[in-house]
Amino acid sequence: MDTKPSHNDLPWELLVQALQGELSPDENQRFREWLALSEENRMQYEQLQRIWKDGMGDYVFYREANEAKGWEALRESMGERDVFQGGMGEGKSGEEERMDEGEERVRVGDEHGRVVMFRRWMAAAAVLLLAVGAGWWYLSGRGADMQYETAAGEQRTISLADGSRVVLNGQARIRIGKDYDKTDRTVTLAGGVAFFEVAHQAQRPFTVDAGVISIKDIGTSFTVARTKDSIKVMVSEGKIAFIEKETAASREMTAGDSICFYIAERRVRELRTRFDNAPLPAVIAALQRMSGKRIVLADAALAEKKLTVHLAGESFEDALKTVCASLNLEYKVVNEEYILYPRK
Amino acid sequence: MSLNEEHIWRSIQKRDGKVFEHYYKEHYKFFFLAACNYLKDPRLAQEIVNDVFIKVWEDAEAIRIQSSLRSYIYRAVINRSLNELDKNKRERQHQSELSRRPEETVESREMEEQELRLRLYRAIDQLPDQCRKVFMMSRFEQLKQQEIADQLNISIKTVKNHITRALKDLYEVLGDWNSLPVWMGVIILKYFL
């Protein structure tokens, strides 16, 4: 009944290394041999690649999906419109019906002569839900520092006094000092992922304090993700300064740049978009990672080629064209794969 | 429409809010992810799904469902998402590249793939904690095996075992995954961090 080949026969050790791009030369050799062995093998590997690359892409959103929150929001927007067409709960049992005694019902005939009901309490309930569900904030002991914390799966936008915006993903915590926009503009990210869109002010730079790292905006939007082990920064627009507080070492990052800082080792790893005389496979790996598309070299000798290129801010096809132009290559799309080959 | 869907749809037309709520909650993730697939913006995705559901609720009597309720809502969600995307593109040069509207003929395949992705994500949630953690670090934080081992204070061998275990599980769940369409390859790194 089960026609699937047993997956225990697969050389998992090699496959895992290959998917993560960590094949040693020797493993690479063995992996190639295995791939070449049969069409079946090649297909199985492609399937795994699909799971690993394309298939996983939206998992982050899956984690954010929350039907209960969605439903609350839906009820709220229906309340707002004042057109709540009675019923939502119309299928109630008699017992529940009696519990609604206190509610106010207004019957209105609409243009089709249908009878609709507007329940005023619905809107009130929605407002209350909103107040409870919107995360929490409190005044800290020092006075008027504001703290915001989001629940898992919650996303919340905070508009700051100066017009800047912070979007918190689930389980993020930030603190905004009571003097924000008075003496300086500092926001502390205690943990989690936050996206910042900064209203630029030359005299008062915007700073994100992320513990051992601070990020100073030079007019821009960017994302910071802080865990207990690492701090990641990715710049969407404009420029920022990434500052290691202990040493005051600072580096400038521009749109498309990403950095991961490992707290324990005080070590920075660049998630690269800029390549300087880098081997073509490294550039391709980055492009694939960014686009989710598959790029294949028609000729193994191409893997030896090196190039200097900056991929940030370009569409996938433009980036690929840039790569091709600099190495005198062309590409074609076959079965959703981008195949690079030498220009004839 | 399947019998069950037929029943659900008739109840919604009769303004049975409980059935409506139940249907919403049962299928929310599916539609939400379909919108996210295009928009890469969970807030917007929720808004769009809700708009569509509100419209369905409000116009239920006037709506004629041809194929199935699910594909009716799916199509509405996708169309809204694409409109939103066009708007965004003009407004702030959204980085996304897709412009192809799904043909009706490929729609059912897209829905199937959406369903598979959902199954994949559920399978990831089923992994043991440490295993999932290692897997996520490798896949989403793009850490090297050595880096993961260092951070979690485990051996590199253990890291490999976890990733292998995870992949095996997922592979099993998705044994029948067909090739994914090109338009899926759209990402916004912003939410990847």
Side-chain angles (χ1 to χ4, degrees), chain B residues 4 11 15 28 33 53 64 71 93-94 96 99 102 121 124 132 140 149 157 166 173 193:
Chain B
N4 190 30
S11 303
R15 325 212 60 67
Y28 177 79
L33 279 174
F53 266 90
R64 289 241 182 84
S71 56
Q93 301 261 311
H94 210 281
S96 144
S99 51
Y121 301 155
I124 295 171
R132 187 176 55 241
F140 288 108
K157 180 82 193 131
V173 169
L193 276 169

Side-chain angles (χ1 to χ4, degrees), chain B residues 70-119:
Chain B
R70 200 156 113 112
S71 56
Y72 178 88
I73 295 177
Y74 178 80
R75 193 174 311 146
V77 166
I78 298 297
N79 283 339
R80 290 273 194 130
S81 303
L82 289 168
N83 287 343
E84 201 59 41
L85 211 56
D86 289 345
K87 199 165 92 197
N88 276 356
K89 220 173 211 160
R90 282 198 301 276
E91 276 170 10
R92 25 160 225 177
Q93 301 261 311
H94 210 281
Q95 284 240 334
S96 144
E97 291 170 13
L98 64 101
S99 51
R100 287 199 319 151
R101 247 157 235 263
E103 312 279 324
E104 294 216 2
T105 44
V106 300
E107 187 177 278
S108 66
R109 199 177 137 210
E110 283 186 11
M111 287 176 72
E112 221 167 89
E113 277 155 3
Q114 183 63 55
E115 194 58 53
L116 278 170
R117 272 191 296 257
L118 207 53
R119 221 191 291 167

Side-chain angles (χ1 to χ4, degrees), chain A residues 7 17 20 22 44 47 52-53 55 58-59 62 70 114 234 262 269 289-291 293 316 336, chain B residues 24 40 46 50 57 61 97 121 125 138-139 142-143 145 151 163 171-172 175 180 185 187 193:
Chain A
H7 62 258
Q17 298 294 98
Q20 296 182 288
E22 295 200 34
Q44 281 172 331
Q47 191 135 337
W52 183 255
K53 292 195 180 126
D58 284 350
Y59 181 65
Y62 170 78
R114 257 183 299 146
M234 145 108 197
Y262 298 108
R269 176 161 170 250
R289 228 168 25 228
M290 285 187 281
S291 68
K293 295 183 179 167
F316 171 74
E336 300 170 7
Chain B
Y24 175 94
K40 307 298 167 193
Q46 178 184 304
N50 280 0
W57 175 256
E61 274 175 73
E97 291 170 13
Y121 301 155
D125 280 355
S138 169
R139 172 59 181 79
Q142 291 164 16
L143 298 180
Q145 291 167 357
Q151 280 196 24
I163 295 172
Y171 186 71
E172 204 159 351
L180 294 164
I187 59 146
L193 276 169

Side-chain angles (χ1 to χ4, degrees), chain B:
Chain B
M1 269 196 274
S2 68
L3 262 177
N4 190 30
E5 259 208 344
E6 183 91 39
H7 174 76
I8 289 169
W9 179 233
R10 248 194 258 124
S11 303
I12 290 174
Q13 284 188 311
K14 282 191 214 128
R15 325 212 60 67
D16 186 331
K18 281 238 165 79
V19 170
F20 183 61
E21 176 175 355
H22 189 262
Y23 185 83
Y24 175 94
K25 287 186 173 166
E26 193 175 342
H27 297 275
Y28 177 79
K29 285 199 167 84
F30 180 83
F31 297 124
F32 173 85
L33 279 174
C36 273
N37 201 327
Y38 284 89
L39 296 167
K40 307 298 167 193
D41 181 339
R43 216 164 11 124
L44 205 52
Q46 178 184 304
E47 234 169 71
I48 283 172
V49 171
N50 280 0
D51 279 355
V52 169
F53 266 90
I54 289 173
K55 198 106 187 50
V56 164
W57 175 256
E58 287 178 346
D59 297 345
E61 274 175 73
I63 293 173
R64 289 241 182 84
I65 305 280
Q66 303 270 341
S67 46
S68 78
L69 178 57
R70 200 156 113 112
S71 56
Y72 178 88
I73 295 177
Y74 178 80
R75 193 174 311 146
V77 166
I78 298 297
N79 283 339
R80 290 273 194 130
S81 303
L82 289 168
N83 287 343
E84 201 59 41
L85 211 56
D86 289 345
K87 199 165 92 197
N88 276 356
K89 220 173 211 160
R90 282 198 301 276
E91 276 170 10
R92 25 160 225 177
Q93 301 261 311
H94 210 281
Q95 284 240 334
S96 144
E97 291 170 13
L98 64 101
S99 51
R100 287 199 319 151
R101 247 157 235 263
E103 312 279 324
E104 294 216 2
T105 44
V106 300
E107 187 177 278
S108 66
R109 199 177 137 210
E110 283 186 11
M111 287 176 72
E112 221 167 89
E113 277 155 3
Q114 183 63 55
E115 194 58 53
L116 278 170
R117 272 191 296 257
L118 207 53
R119 221 191 291 167
L120 173 69
Y121 301 155
R122 292 200 177 112
I124 295 171
D125 280 355
Q126 299 294 314
L127 295 171
D129 284 350
Q130 182 82 339
C131 178
R132 187 176 55 241
K133 187 166 183 192
V134 170
F135 184 72
M136 302 282 291
M137 285 170 92
S138 169
R139 172 59 181 79
F140 288 108
E141 299 182 35
Q142 291 164 16
L143 298 180
K144 296 268 170 221
Q145 291 167 357
Q146 188 61 57
E147 291 169 332
I148 298 171
D150 293 348
Q151 280 196 24
L152 298 179
N153 243 330
I154 54 181
S155 74
I156 194 160
K157 180 82 193 131
T158 310
V159 170
K160 283 185 195 177
N161 288 344
H162 278 312
I163 295 172
T164 305
R165 155 82 200 265
L167 273 168
K168 271 187 188 172
D169 279 15
L170 301 182
Y171 186 71
E172 204 159 351
V173 169
L174 297 187
D176 48 352
W177 194 320
N178 295 317
S179 69
L180 294 164
V182 170
W183 53 260
M184 249 194 71
V186 181
I187 59 146
I188 295 287
L189 274 167
K190 189 166 120 182
Y191 292 103
F192 245 54
L193 276 169

Side-chain angles (χ1 to χ4, degrees), chain A residues 288-301:
Chain A
Q288 293 192 133
R289 228 168 25 228
M290 285 187 281
S291 68
K293 295 183 179 167
R294 301 235 291 127
I295 307 170
V296 181
L297 298 180
D299 179 352

Side-chain angles (χ1 to χ4, degrees), chain A residues 227-241:
Chain A
T227 68
K228 65 181 192 343
D229 306 311
S230 68
I231 299 162
K232 277 195 214 173
V233 181
M234 145 108 197
V235 181
S236 314
E237 278 170 63
K239 257 195 304 192
I240 61 151

